[in-house]
């Protein structure tokens, strides 16, 4: 049973940076792709970024050039480096995962994932 624990959220001023972490446990990390999603109050959960088993990445247009997703197989952790943050980036950020075959590209739909973390709040003040 995979367990995901997110950390790194907080309050930051517009233009600032944060790095989110998603620590895996209970599984062989390298078998899994991972994604980041976010949900603001009153809005649907939306795709932010994803990384496949082979390191291929995908980004929402709204974060391209500002966010970078990465993975450390030794530390069993996926990271989301967020820079040039904007007030509209304010949301609860969730890490998600699904075991995949090596050649599968990163999943970008929430329904493609079957395990989720508890979320971490990111608040960007103007």
């Amino acid at each position: 049973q995979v367990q995901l624990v997110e950390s790194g959220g907080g309050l930051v001023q517009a233009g600032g940076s944060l790095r989110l972490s998603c620590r895996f446990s209970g599984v062989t990390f390298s078998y899994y792709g991972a994604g980041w999603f976010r949900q603001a109050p009153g809005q649907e959960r939306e795709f932010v970024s994803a990384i496949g088993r082979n390191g291929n990445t995908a980004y929402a247009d709204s974060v391209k050039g500002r966010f970078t997703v990465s993975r450390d197989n030794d530390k069993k952790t996926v990271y989301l480096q967020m820079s040039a943050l904007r007030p509209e980036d304010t949301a609860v950020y969730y890490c998600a995962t699904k075991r995949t075959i090596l050649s599968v590209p990163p999943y970008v739909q929430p329904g493609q994932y079957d395990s989720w973390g508890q979320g971490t709040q990111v608040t960007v003040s103007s």
Side-chain angles (χ1 to χ4, degrees):
Q1 181 90 12
V2 61
Q3 293 182 322
L4 306 175
V5 177
E6 298 109 328
S7 61
L11 173 64
V12 64
Q13 288 188 331
S17 299
L18 283 174
R19 188 178 78 159
L20 305 184
S21 299
C22 178
R23 179 78 160 82
F24 282 56
S25 62
V27 295
T28 302
F29 175 68
S30 60
Y31 292 171
Y32 287 75
W36 288 96
F37 293 79
R38 66 188 181 187
Q39 188 166 19
Q43 297 187 19
E44 293 188 354
R45 191 166 298 189
E46 66 172 358
F47 169 72
V48 176
S49 183
I51 186 165
R53 285 184 58 188
N54 56 12
N56 285 355
T57 59
Y59 296 92
D61 288 343
S62 60
V63 306
K64 278 181 183 176
R66 301 189 298 122
F67 291 10
T68 302
V69 64
S70 62
R71 62 188 294 154
D72 185 328
N73 286 354
D74 291 334
K75 294 183 178 179
K76 298 185 177 182
T77 301
V78 175
Y79 301 98
L80 184 67
Q81 178 67 49
M82 306 186 295
S83 303
L85 283 162
R86 304 166 180 167
E88 54 263 40
D89 294 319
T90 295
V92 177
Y93 283 69
Y94 297 91
C95 176
T97 192
K98 168 104 175 157
R99 181 168 176 163
T100 70
I101 60 176
L102 187 61
S103 59
V104 168
Y107 292 151
V108 300
Q109 298 295 331
Q112 293 175 298
Y113 292 92
D114 54 18
S115 296
W116 292 80
Q118 82 287 353
T120 185
Q121 176 70 47
V122 171
T123 303
V124 184
S125 63
S126 57

